[in-house]
Amino acid sequence: MTAKERVTVSLPADKAAALQQLAKDGRIESVSAYVSEAVEERMGREERAQRIIEGWAHEAEQQDLQAWEQALAWARQSDQRGQHAGGAAA
């Protein structure tokens, strides 16, 4: 069994109540299990998207290095995540 770390998650009141009712009705194991499963699913989608992007990037780089370098420069200049006053990436 893997170690678990506690985190606090905020949800809109209606969503939290709906999850609690699902758990009470025995339709889900628990709110924590449901949220954990949703996180795993989302992370899997993110990882698959990253692999697709990396594959496309490798192919694009091989086909036209100059166009690739221009696209990369544009992406770096356009990516402003984490550079606002709060300092934290979204």
Side-chain angles (χ1 to χ4, degrees):
M1 181 171 211
T2 61
K4 295 185 179 190
E5 186 171 328
R6 294 189 103 170
V7 297
T8 301
V9 177
S10 297
L11 297 171
D14 62 326
K15 300 296 184 203
L19 285 174
Q20 290 169 338
Q21 187 63 48
L22 288 171
K24 182 179 176 184
D25 295 344
R27 294 177 55 199
I28 62 173
E29 180 183 340
S30 67
V31 172
S32 293
Y34 185 92
V35 171
S36 181
E37 183 180 316
V39 168
E40 286 294 324
E41 182 179 321
R42 175 68 184 261
M43 289 178 76
R45 286 195 316 262
E46 294 291 335
E47 289 169 5
R48 286 188 300 277
Q50 186 63 36
R51 284 194 306 271
I52 290 168
I53 290 167
E54 288 171 359
W56 169 83
H58 179 73
E59 184 178 321
E61 182 179 20
Q62 299 301 312
Q63 289 179 0
D64 186 345
L65 184 57
Q66 183 178 4
W68 167 249
E69 288 173 348
Q70 290 172 349
L72 189 58
W74 173 85
R76 286 184 177 142
Q77 190 258 336
S78 298
D79 185 7
Q80 299 298 313
R81 291 177 295 176
Q83 297 182 18
H84 54 77

